Amino acid sequence: MDSLTQITLGAAVGEATLGRRVGNKAPLWGAFFGTLPDLDVVINPFVSEITSLAFHRGLSHSFLVVVVAAPLLAWMVSRIHASDGADWRAWTPLVLLTLVTHIILDTLTSYGTQVFAPLSDTRAAIPSIFIIDPVYTIPLALGLLIALKWRPTATARRRSNYIGLAVSTVYLCLTLGIKSHVESVFASSLEAQGKPHTEVFTQPTPFNTILWNGMVQDEGGTWTGQYSLFDSSGQIEFEYVPKNDHLLQGHMSDPAIDVLRWFSKGYYTVSQENGTTRLHDLRFGRTDLGLRSEGRYLFTFVLKQGPDGAFVNFAHTRPPFRPDDQLLRRFVNRIAGEERSSSQAVLQID
C-alpha cells in the first residue's frame, strides 16, 4: 500500500494499543513502525537492480523477522520514554501489531511479499485492493484524527479510533469477498471458452473494487480480461499475450531473467527492438488501463548483457502515465458495466 495509508494504519493501531497509557506518543510511534518496513528501499542506491528487486518486501516484511525484532525495538522505545512508566513489555504489542498489520495489508496488493523470509522466498499476494484506495484510507484517517482531539483517557477518543479501524477492516473483508466472486466468474468464463482456468490471478483496477483484471497462463502465454460487477453477463472477452520466450532462448537461467521470472510469477511478455530486449510484467497494467490499443506496460525491465552476452542486470523503466479526459471517461464507463469492444484487443509493446 501507499506510504500514507501505512502511516495512518500504524498510527491507528498504535493509538488502539497504548494510546490510553502514553498519549500521543503511541500514534506517533505507531506511524513510525507502520512505515518502517518500507525503508528497505534505502539500500537501492548501493546495490544492483537485481538485488533491489529481490530485497524489497523481503526480510523487512517477514513475520519471522518481525516476531524476533519487536521486543528489541520495544525495549529501545521504552528506554527513550523511560519516564512514562511503560516498559518494553507494554510497548511490544504496539510494535508487533503495527509491523504485522503493515505486512498483512501489503499481501492484499499484487506486488508480492516474502512473509516467510529468509526460510522461503515465496511472495504471498492475495490482491483484493489497489495500492491507493481512498475508501480504505479515509475512514481510518477520520477516526484517528477525531480521536486525537480528545484527551488520552477519554472514552470518545478510543471509540472514534475503533470505529475508523472497524470500518476499514470491514471494507478489507468485503474486498476479499468480492475477489472470491470475481475469481469464480473468471473461472466459469474461461471454462466455457475452453481456456485454462486454474490459478486465475485477479486484481482490482485503480482506485476501485468494482472493475477487475484477471489473467491465467498456459504454456506459451497469458489470457487476460476485465470484469465489472456491473457487467450485464459473466462472459468475459479475453486477449492473448504470448510470453515470447523464444527471445530469451539460451538465457532462461541468466541472473536477470531468473529474478524477473520469479518476480512476475510468469505473468510477463518479452519484446525486442533495435537489439534491446525488454521484459514486461503484465500484472501492473498499461498506460491505457487496458481500454485502448496504444497502451504501454507500466512495469518494463530493459535487460542488460554482460561481456559474455548473458543478461546480468536490468533497468526498470516506466512510461509516462497521463490519462486524458477521454480515457478517464471510458474508464468510468467501463466500471459502470460498459462492454469493451473487440477492436481494443490490440497491444503496443514498447
Side-chain angles (χ1 to χ4, degrees), residues 7-193:
I7 288 172
T8 304
L9 175 61
V13 171
E15 169 62 28
T17 306
L18 205 58
R20 187 174 185 181
R21 187 166 177 180
V22 300
N24 290 341
K25 297 184 183 68
L28 287 173
W29 279 107
F32 172 76
F33 288 116
T35 195
L36 181 63
D38 287 338
L39 296 183
D40 58 3
V41 297
V42 299
I43 73 164
N44 289 359
F46 311 103
V47 298
S48 68
E49 289 268 11
I50 290 180
T51 301
S52 173
L53 191 67
F55 187 74
H56 184 48
R57 290 201 190 181
L59 287 174
S60 67
H61 287 66
S62 166
F63 288 130
L64 303 176
V65 172
V66 162
V67 168
V68 173
L72 176 60
L73 294 170
W75 176 82
M76 295 171 63
V77 175
S78 70
R79 297 296 295 173
I80 295 173
H81 302 295
S83 61
D84 289 336
D87 62 13
W88 68 272
R89 287 179 290 269
W91 282 99
T92 295
L94 182 150
V95 178
L96 182 61
L97 287 173
T98 53
L99 294 174
V100 166
T101 52
H102 178 115
I103 295 170
I104 292 173
L105 192 56
D106 272 352
T107 63
L108 299 180
T109 64
S110 58
Y111 192 91
T113 306
Q114 299 175 58
V115 296
F116 298 116
L119 301 182
S120 171
D121 65 356
T122 299
R123 296 169 53 252
I126 312 171
S128 68
I129 188 171
F130 188 64
I131 56 172
I132 301 174
D133 192 328
V135 180
Y136 175 80
T137 307
I138 290 175
L140 192 64
L142 285 176
L144 176 65
L145 291 173
I146 294 172
L148 294 179
K149 296 175 63 176
W150 298 84
R151 67 182 186 278
T153 57
T155 301
R157 174 165 171 148
R158 296 195 303 279
R159 182 180 297 135
S160 175
N161 189 52
Y162 289 156
I163 290 174
L165 281 166
V167 171
S168 61
T169 302
V170 167
Y171 175 68
L172 274 186
C173 294
L174 178 63
T175 66
L176 288 169
I178 294 172
K179 179 179 176 67
S180 178
H181 165 70
V182 169
E183 286 182 347
S184 69
V185 173
F186 268 96
S188 297
S189 186
L190 286 162
E191 184 175 13
Q193 298 179 44

